[in-house]
Amino acid sequence: MYIIFPEAYRDGHAIPSAVQAQKNSDQMNGKSKPGLNNSTQTKWVEQMEKIQNSQDQTAFAELFSHFAPRLKSFLLKSGASPSMAEDIAQETMATVWQKAKLFDPTRANVSTWIFTIARNRKIDVLRKENRPEPEELPWGPAEEPDQADVLALQQETEKLSEALADLPPKQAELVKKAYYGDLSHSEIATETGLPLGTIKSRLRLALERLRHRMT
Amino acid sequence: MMIKHHLSEKLLLAYSSGNLPEAFNLVVATHISMCDECRIAACAHDAVGGAVLESSDCVEMEPNAFAKTLKLISDQDEPMLNDINIRRSGKSRFPKPLQDYVGGDLNDVRWRSIGMGVKQSILKTSKEATVRLLRIPAGSAVPDHGHQGTELTLVLQGAFVDETDRFGPGDVEVANEDLNHMPIAELGEDCICLAATDAPLRFNSLIPRIAQPFFRI
Ligand SMILES: [Zn+2]
């Protein structure tokens, strides 16, 4: 795994210890597997909470080190030129900071949320189109989300990552291509083959709980 | 709202992965605004996108990328967003994505007559596909038409019935080339639909066919 440190930390500034610790643990684990363990995904949720609550730049630097290089790779595969992929990855991460308070860990994990931001930016830049978004639910993210809901959603999302890693290579490639925006409509007729039922029931429970709280 | 006809998994995947033309995205986003079930399904498909991102290998960013990102943030010169702009939909209010394209609600739509009492208003999107609002007087029919491509129709008000079923508020019908249908608006109130097509409709009666190039049907 590459760890790319922001220049600000290379030049003169000390690398924050939290980032350093992450670097060490990544090095010990070797190349990370696609299906991440629990602690990794919930760790990203914690970093998001630090950004939400105290505009923590160290937490942001950590998210950046992890996600920006993946975004760049994702965007290159989506047909962006290297400079465009670099720009969209930076813009996506800037939006992550800007919209941090809209992140709702009962509805998405951090990878999912960042994916949606990058996808929209990609459509905006590559296709020069607006992407109509559904109306937001009549409530924002809960002030203090139910931790059981957060954990359950993170776990379900990780199972999805593991299921993707376990797909036969050809099928996994087809799913990935779809998300790179690299499939014609007819090809998408193929089922993803991923078990979406359990994550849907998780999301449904969280939604019902939120609705209940509203009334 | 009792929604019976939902988006297909195929459409939801295409929406989530960014494979749909803008016109179809608008119909999908408007339906999701009205339908919890499809909102949940769309979130699940987004989660697959997150898993794909997570499984991506890494490509090194430029050395000054983080500094440039911080500059992007400070250049925007806006405080961190605090709350979401939420607009609740009422009876004559359109869901937010549709409002954005109409520039208002039902009362703000600029209708053009296309004959037989039917009115339409084409919304501006990219050219790969077309999306329009249709207003069909209660009890009337939309001329019999077949399809060259896919037509996605979402009912916003009233209801229509065709050979396949009844479609009420929130319901979507996905019609492909095989369906040659004549939707009839139910008695009661006018039926208002949001319809996207990726090919021009082909009307089976002579006059509307001649009129086709004029009205971009
Ligand atoms: Zn639905």
Side-chain angles (χ1 to χ4, degrees), chain A residues 6 36 66 69 72-73 77 86 98 111 119 127 129-132 135 178-179 185 200 204 211, chain B residues 9 15-16 18-20 33 36-37 39 45-46 54 57 62 66 76 78 81 87 96 101 126 128:
Chain A
L36 288 166
H66 180 78
K72 190 169 180 181
S73 155
K77 287 177 184 144
E86 174 79 27
Q98 212 75 40
S111 312
R119 171 200 60 205
R127 298 214 320 232
E129 272 180 31
N130 171 48
R131 182 180 190 273
E135 183 166 287
Y179 284 87
H185 298 182
K200 280 187 196 170
R204 194 171 296 122
R211 233 190 232 308
Chain B
E9 288 292 322
Y15 177 68
S16 171
N19 282 295
L20 284 180
S33 303
D36 280 355
E37 213 38 51
R39 185 185 289 274
H45 285 287
D46 286 350
E54 192 59 58
D57 43 12
E62 285 170 9
F66 188 67
Q76 279 178 339
E78 280 167 27
L81 278 175
R87 302 181 64 174
K96 178 89 172 57
Y101 278 76
S126 68
E128 311 157 80

Side-chain angles (χ1 to χ4, degrees), chain B residues 73-90:
Chain B
I73 291 168
S74 58
D75 282 355
Q76 279 178 339
D77 201 29
E78 280 167 27
M80 203 185 260
L81 278 175
N82 257 313
D83 35 36
I84 324 166
N85 177 20
I86 295 153
R87 302 181 64 174
R88 301 207 64 169
S89 306

Side-chain angles (χ1 to χ4, degrees), chain A:
Chain A
M1 175 189 280
Y2 299 80
I3 296 289
I4 293 103
F5 282 104
E7 178 132 281
Y9 293 132
R10 286 190 191 143
D11 297 348
H13 300 271
I15 291 167
S17 56
V19 180
Q20 186 65 55
Q22 170 59 23
K23 183 185 177 189
N24 293 340
S25 87
D26 278 350
Q27 280 169 346
M28 283 193 304
N29 294 342
K31 197 174 188 314
S32 70
K33 281 188 290 185
L36 288 166
N37 60 38
N38 261 342
S39 56
T40 315
Q41 279 299 331
T42 43
K43 192 193 80 180
W44 299 131
V45 174
E46 283 160 20
Q47 304 306 331
M48 283 304 300
E49 281 164 356
K50 286 183 195 161
I51 297 171
Q52 289 170 334
N53 298 332
S54 54
Q55 314 212 345
D56 186 327
Q57 291 212 14
T58 307
F60 183 60
E62 256 195 83
L63 280 177
F64 189 95
S65 305
H66 180 78
F67 285 103
R70 285 176 171 77
L71 283 168
K72 190 169 180 181
S73 155
F74 179 89
L75 291 158
L76 286 170
K77 287 177 184 144
S78 303
S81 68
S83 71
M84 223 176 229
E86 174 79 27
D87 287 351
I88 300 176
Q90 288 178 19
E91 287 158 3
T92 300
M93 292 312 295
T95 306
V96 166
W97 175 272
Q98 212 75 40
K99 295 194 171 170
K101 293 204 171 157
L102 306 187
F103 171 65
D104 180 350
T106 65
R107 281 161 62 193
N109 75 359
V110 179
S111 312
T112 302
W113 187 62
I114 294 181
F115 157 74
T116 61
I117 295 172
R119 171 200 60 205
N120 293 2
R121 188 70 195 137
K122 181 179 94 181
I123 291 174
D124 194 10
V125 174
L126 297 185
R127 298 214 320 232
K128 308 217 175 352
E129 272 180 31
N130 171 48
R131 182 180 190 273
E133 287 290 302
E135 183 166 287
E136 272 301 331
L137 295 166
W139 55 75
E143 278 292 316
E144 284 179 18
D146 191 316
Q147 284 311 305
D149 278 346
V150 174
L151 190 62
L153 195 270
Q154 301 304 315
Q155 283 170 343
E156 285 306 333
T157 322
E158 266 151 46
K159 279 190 215 152
L160 209 56
S161 273
E162 283 157 21
L164 178 65
D166 288 343
L167 282 182
K170 266 191 180 168
Q171 204 176 343
E173 200 47 43
L174 210 61
V175 174
K176 289 179 185 180
K177 274 175 80 179
Y179 284 87
Y180 301 144
D182 189 16
L183 272 193
S184 73
H185 298 182
S186 52
E187 281 174 295
I188 289 183
T190 324
E191 289 284 324
T192 61
L194 291 168
L196 295 180
T198 50
I199 193 165
K200 280 187 196 170
S201 37
R202 245 317 124 196
L203 289 160
R204 194 171 296 122
L205 276 177
L207 196 68
E208 277 162 12
R209 208 162 297 180
L210 278 166
R211 233 190 232 308
H212 188 70
R213 190 177 301 157
M214 276 291 290
T215 50

Side-chain angles (χ1 to χ4, degrees), chain B residues 3 5-7 31 35 37-38:
Chain B
I3 297 176
H5 299 279
H6 296 276
L7 298 162
H31 175 80
C35 176
E37 213 38 51
C38 288

Side-chain angles (χ1 to χ4, degrees), chain B residues 158-183:
Chain B
F160 72 79
V161 181
D162 71 9
E163 293 84 337
T164 65
D165 210 340
R166 173 187 187 271
F167 296 82
D171 282 333
V172 270
E173 182 179 47
V174 187
N176 57 25
E177 306 183 2
D178 311 329
L179 187 65
N180 205 328
H181 67 160
M182 179 146 58

